[in-house]
Amino acid sequence: MEAARCEYDPAIVGNAVPAFAEQQYPNNIKALLRNEQRAREFLLAHCWPGGEPYCPRCGNRKIYTLSGQRLRCSSCKYTFQPFSGRWINNGALSCTEWIGLTRLFMQERTVHQMKQDLGLSYNTVYKALTALRFAILAHAPDATQLMGPETGLNSYLKGTRLTGGPKDMRMDTIPVYGILHRDGLVFIDLVPGFQAETVFHFHMNFRLKLVRAGNLVYTDRYKDYDALVFCGNESLPYEIIRRHDEPPMIDARNDSFWRFARGRLKKFRGISCQRFPLYLKELEFRYNNRESQIFEALVSRLCALVPDLGAKTG
């Protein structure tokens, strides 16, 4: 039976309220790893920075409590949990496990290392990392475009849940991305109207240099882009790639971002063309914040609401 309803009150909502929402965030991550309640409060402080919960569906702040830490919106009558509708709600992790996973992600540990350190299954860690990478991408300026049908990432989301799967991609549907590195910052852009087929056409007919490293293919400078890049699959005719005496510009000038990215892309084994933009935007985020502590930025993204793509992508 439901508890008696009441308007939001910190003393009544209890565990649903971040106790130190307006305090400075703790620097000692280890303290959060030792205490589930403190970890929960820390995460909720990122969900509700002002300390007052609101409806993830309509944004209304008049909220009632129900039993089992459930909340209900007085306006749209939506019943939800404190983490409902957020990236962090994708994955069966406790709050301390989310803190631990985010810390290990910040340290660039592999899935197998995280699995051992956290005592979780490979699939559980992999799904949680997918949610975290989606959360990073969702904060990029071009997130709406990247989460649309042109990349195929929209097929992973069913509402606010990561329960979908990748669509098959062929040579004429594999998207292409452009790298722009200016003044110490990098931006990786989806190139509209370009697919892997387009790049192979330019290579064969206009001598655009191509380099293959496994399923990773990148080009010489193209218009304003330092390089075009995409992740292929078995549908591509890699055998037609010609050898060149001179390397592409991005290699010739020993570009600092490309050095940073190539080594990490090799470490990510088995990247598919469907998931490739998740890794590109992770690298963009890491590089542009390479001189900053990124833990709280990662937590903020993880605790953000999943955008509603229904009206945007069809």
PDB file of all heavy atoms in Angstrom, residues 286-301:
ATOM      1  N   ARG A 286      38.160  13.723 -23.586  1.00  0.00           N
ATOM      2  CA  ARG A 286      39.401  13.518 -22.812  1.00  0.00           C
ATOM      3  C   ARG A 286      40.487  14.501 -23.263  1.00  0.00           C
ATOM      4  O   ARG A 286      41.185  15.092 -22.422  1.00  0.00           O
ATOM      5  CB  ARG A 286      39.892  12.087 -22.971  1.00  0.00           C
ATOM      6  CG  ARG A 286      39.081  11.043 -22.230  1.00  0.00           C
ATOM      7  CD  ARG A 286      39.769   9.681 -22.310  1.00  0.00           C
ATOM      8  NE  ARG A 286      38.991   8.611 -21.748  1.00  0.00           N
ATOM      9  CZ  ARG A 286      38.952   8.294 -20.449  1.00  0.00           C
ATOM     10  NH1 ARG A 286      39.664   8.998 -19.587  1.00  0.00           N
ATOM     11  NH2 ARG A 286      38.221   7.278 -20.014  1.00  0.00           N
ATOM     12  N   TYR A 287      40.634  14.659 -24.560  1.00  0.00           N
ATOM     13  CA  TYR A 287      41.709  15.531 -25.056  1.00  0.00           C
ATOM     14  C   TYR A 287      41.452  16.982 -24.679  1.00  0.00           C
ATOM     15  O   TYR A 287      42.366  17.678 -24.218  1.00  0.00           O
ATOM     16  CB  TYR A 287      41.824  15.394 -26.577  1.00  0.00           C
ATOM     17  CG  TYR A 287      42.987  16.175 -27.155  1.00  0.00           C
ATOM     18  CD1 TYR A 287      44.282  15.672 -27.094  1.00  0.00           C
ATOM     19  CD2 TYR A 287      42.789  17.426 -27.749  1.00  0.00           C
ATOM     20  CE1 TYR A 287      45.356  16.387 -27.611  1.00  0.00           C
ATOM     21  CE2 TYR A 287      43.850  18.146 -28.263  1.00  0.00           C
ATOM     22  CZ  TYR A 287      45.136  17.624 -28.195  1.00  0.00           C
ATOM     23  OH  TYR A 287      46.199  18.346 -28.703  1.00  0.00           O
ATOM     24  N   ASN A 288      40.234  17.438 -24.855  1.00  0.00           N
ATOM     25  CA  ASN A 288      39.928  18.837 -24.563  1.00  0.00           C
ATOM     26  C   ASN A 288      39.960  19.140 -23.068  1.00  0.00           C
ATOM     27  O   ASN A 288      40.015  20.316 -22.674  1.00  0.00           O
ATOM     28  CB  ASN A 288      38.569  19.216 -25.139  1.00  0.00           C
ATOM     29  CG  ASN A 288      38.585  19.280 -26.660  1.00  0.00           C
ATOM     30  OD1 ASN A 288      39.644  19.401 -27.275  1.00  0.00           O
ATOM     31  ND2 ASN A 288      37.423  19.181 -27.270  1.00  0.00           N
ATOM     32  N   ASN A 289      39.918  18.098 -22.236  1.00  0.00           N
ATOM     33  CA  ASN A 289      39.987  18.273 -20.780  1.00  0.00           C
ATOM     34  C   ASN A 289      41.231  17.598 -20.199  1.00  0.00           C
ATOM     35  O   ASN A 289      41.243  17.235 -19.027  1.00  0.00           O
ATOM     36  CB  ASN A 289      38.728  17.690 -20.129  1.00  0.00           C
ATOM     37  CG  ASN A 289      37.478  18.465 -20.476  1.00  0.00           C
ATOM     38  OD1 ASN A 289      37.190  19.499 -19.888  1.00  0.00           O
ATOM     39  ND2 ASN A 289      36.738  17.964 -21.463  1.00  0.00           N
ATOM     40  N   ARG A 290      42.260  17.464 -21.018  1.00  0.00           N
ATOM     41  CA  ARG A 290      43.450  16.702 -20.613  1.00  0.00           C
ATOM     42  C   ARG A 290      44.215  17.335 -19.459  1.00  0.00           C
ATOM     43  O   ARG A 290      44.994  16.665 -18.792  1.00  0.00           O
ATOM     44  CB  ARG A 290      44.380  16.495 -21.814  1.00  0.00           C
ATOM     45  CG  ARG A 290      44.905  17.768 -22.449  1.00  0.00           C
ATOM     46  CD  ARG A 290      45.512  17.492 -23.832  1.00  0.00           C
ATOM     47  NE  ARG A 290      46.013  18.694 -24.486  1.00  0.00           N
ATOM     48  CZ  ARG A 290      45.262  19.548 -25.147  1.00  0.00           C
ATOM     49  NH1 ARG A 290      43.961  19.366 -25.215  1.00  0.00           N
ATOM     50  NH2 ARG A 290      45.802  20.596 -25.740  1.00  0.00           N
ATOM     51  N   GLU A 291      44.004  18.614 -19.215  1.00  0.00           N
ATOM     52  CA  GLU A 291      44.680  19.286 -18.105  1.00  0.00           C
ATOM     53  C   GLU A 291      43.740  19.537 -16.937  1.00  0.00           C
ATOM     54  O   GLU A 291      44.061  20.282 -16.019  1.00  0.00           O
ATOM     55  CB  GLU A 291      45.295  20.599 -18.592  1.00  0.00           C
ATOM     56  CG  GLU A 291      46.380  20.394 -19.660  1.00  0.00           C
ATOM     57  CD  GLU A 291      46.972  21.701 -20.145  1.00  0.00           C
ATOM     58  OE1 GLU A 291      46.541  22.767 -19.649  1.00  0.00           O
ATOM     59  OE2 GLU A 291      47.860  21.660 -21.017  1.00  0.00           O
ATOM     60  N   SER A 292      42.580  18.889 -16.961  1.00  0.00           N
ATOM     61  CA  SER A 292      41.582  19.098 -15.912  1.00  0.00           C
ATOM     62  C   SER A 292      41.257  17.784 -15.212  1.00  0.00           C
ATOM     63  O   SER A 292      41.448  16.701 -15.773  1.00  0.00           O
ATOM     64  CB  SER A 292      40.285  19.673 -16.511  1.00  0.00           C
ATOM     65  OG  SER A 292      40.536  20.851 -17.244  1.00  0.00           O
ATOM     66  N   GLN A 293      40.742  17.901 -13.989  1.00  0.00           N
ATOM     67  CA  GLN A 293      40.185  16.742 -13.300  1.00  0.00           C
ATOM     68  C   GLN A 293      38.779  16.503 -13.857  1.00  0.00           C
ATOM     69  O   GLN A 293      37.934  17.397 -13.811  1.00  0.00           O
ATOM     70  CB  GLN A 293      40.126  16.995 -11.794  1.00  0.00           C
ATOM     71  CG  GLN A 293      41.488  17.089 -11.133  1.00  0.00           C
ATOM     72  CD  GLN A 293      42.232  15.762 -11.151  1.00  0.00           C
ATOM     73  OE1 GLN A 293      41.621  14.696 -11.110  1.00  0.00           O
ATOM     74  NE2 GLN A 293      43.560  15.823 -11.221  1.00  0.00           N
ATOM     75  N   ILE A 294      38.539  15.327 -14.393  1.00  0.00           N
ATOM     76  CA  ILE A 294      37.281  15.108 -15.114  1.00  0.00           C
ATOM     77  C   ILE A 294      36.258  14.287 -14.329  1.00  0.00           C
ATOM     78  O   ILE A 294      35.169  14.031 -14.833  1.00  0.00           O
ATOM     79  CB  ILE A 294      37.538  14.431 -16.471  1.00  0.00           C
ATOM     80  CG1 ILE A 294      38.159  13.037 -16.283  1.00  0.00           C
ATOM     81  CG2 ILE A 294      38.396  15.313 -17.361  1.00  0.00           C
ATOM     82  CD1 ILE A 294      38.248  12.236 -17.572  1.00  0.00           C
ATOM     83  N   PHE A 295      36.579  13.903 -13.098  1.00  0.00           N
ATOM     84  CA  PHE A 295      35.675  13.021 -12.360  1.00  0.00           C
ATOM     85  C   PHE A 295      34.285  13.637 -12.198  1.00  0.00           C
ATOM     86  O   PHE A 295      33.276  13.019 -12.530  1.00  0.00           O
ATOM     87  CB  PHE A 295      36.265  12.675 -10.990  1.00  0.00           C
ATOM     88  CG  PHE A 295      35.343  11.843 -10.143  1.00  0.00           C
ATOM     89  CD1 PHE A 295      35.166  10.492 -10.396  1.00  0.00           C
ATOM     90  CD2 PHE A 295      34.631  12.407  -9.082  1.00  0.00           C
ATOM     91  CE1 PHE A 295      34.308   9.716  -9.626  1.00  0.00           C
ATOM     92  CE2 PHE A 295      33.774  11.647  -8.309  1.00  0.00           C
ATOM     93  CZ  PHE A 295      33.622  10.297  -8.584  1.00  0.00           C
ATOM     94  N   GLU A 296      34.223  14.863 -11.689  1.00  0.00           N
ATOM     95  CA  GLU A 296      32.910  15.470 -11.454  1.00  0.00           C
ATOM     96  C   GLU A 296      32.193  15.798 -12.762  1.00  0.00           C
ATOM     97  O   GLU A 296      30.962  15.739 -12.830  1.00  0.00           O
ATOM     98  CB  GLU A 296      33.051  16.699 -10.571  1.00  0.00           C
ATOM     99  CG  GLU A 296      33.365  16.325  -9.131  1.00  0.00           C
ATOM    100  CD  GLU A 296      33.360  17.520  -8.195  1.00  0.00           C
ATOM    101  OE1 GLU A 296      32.954  18.613  -8.643  1.00  0.00           O
ATOM    102  OE2 GLU A 296      33.753  17.356  -7.037  1.00  0.00           O
ATOM    103  N   ALA A 297      32.943  16.121 -13.812  1.00  0.00           N
ATOM    104  CA  ALA A 297      32.315  16.344 -15.119  1.00  0.00           C
ATOM    105  C   ALA A 297      31.674  15.057 -15.620  1.00  0.00           C
ATOM    106  O   ALA A 297      30.581  15.073 -16.195  1.00  0.00           O
ATOM    107  CB  ALA A 297      33.347  16.848 -16.120  1.00  0.00           C
ATOM    108  N   LEU A 298      32.338  13.931 -15.395  1.00  0.00           N
ATOM    109  CA  LEU A 298      31.777  12.638 -15.793  1.00  0.00           C
ATOM    110  C   LEU A 298      30.525  12.322 -14.984  1.00  0.00           C
ATOM    111  O   LEU A 298      29.515  11.856 -15.530  1.00  0.00           O
ATOM    112  CB  LEU A 298      32.818  11.535 -15.603  1.00  0.00           C
ATOM    113  CG  LEU A 298      34.001  11.542 -16.570  1.00  0.00           C
ATOM    114  CD1 LEU A 298      35.050  10.532 -16.117  1.00  0.00           C
ATOM    115  CD2 LEU A 298      33.558  11.243 -17.995  1.00  0.00           C
ATOM    116  N   VAL A 299      30.576  12.563 -13.677  1.00  0.00           N
ATOM    117  CA  VAL A 299      29.416  12.300 -12.825  1.00  0.00           C
ATOM    118  C   VAL A 299      28.232  13.173 -13.246  1.00  0.00           C
ATOM    119  O   VAL A 299      27.091  12.712 -13.319  1.00  0.00           O
ATOM    120  CB  VAL A 299      29.772  12.528 -11.340  1.00  0.00           C
ATOM    121  CG1 VAL A 299      28.516  12.479 -10.468  1.00  0.00           C
ATOM    122  CG2 VAL A 299      30.776  11.486 -10.864  1.00  0.00           C
ATOM    123  N   SER A 300      28.492  14.448 -13.539  1.00  0.00           N
ATOM    124  CA  SER A 300      27.418  15.349 -13.968  1.00  0.00           C
ATOM    125  C   SER A 300      26.751  14.852 -15.241  1.00  0.00           C
ATOM    126  O   SER A 300      25.522  14.902 -15.372  1.00  0.00           O
ATOM    127  CB  SER A 300      27.967  16.766 -14.188  1.00  0.00           C
ATOM    128  OG  SER A 300      28.382  17.335 -12.972  1.00  0.00           O
ATOM    129  N   ARG A 301      27.543  14.367 -16.166  1.00  0.00           N
ATOM    130  CA  ARG A 301      26.983  13.834 -17.413  1.00  0.00           C
ATOM    131  C   ARG A 301      26.196  12.559 -17.149  1.00  0.00           C
ATOM    132  O   ARG A 301      25.115  12.352 -17.712  1.00  0.00           O
ATOM    133  CB  ARG A 301      28.106  13.599 -18.428  1.00  0.00           C
ATOM    134  CG  ARG A 301      28.624  14.895 -19.043  1.00  0.00           C
ATOM    135  CD  ARG A 301      30.031  14.768 -19.606  1.00  0.00           C
ATOM    136  NE  ARG A 301      30.413  15.964 -20.354  1.00  0.00           N
ATOM    137  CZ  ARG A 301      30.735  17.126 -19.813  1.00  0.00           C
ATOM    138  NH1 ARG A 301      30.718  17.251 -18.485  1.00  0.00           N
ATOM    139  NH2 ARG A 301      31.086  18.161 -20.566  1.00  0.00           N
TER     140      ARG A 301
END
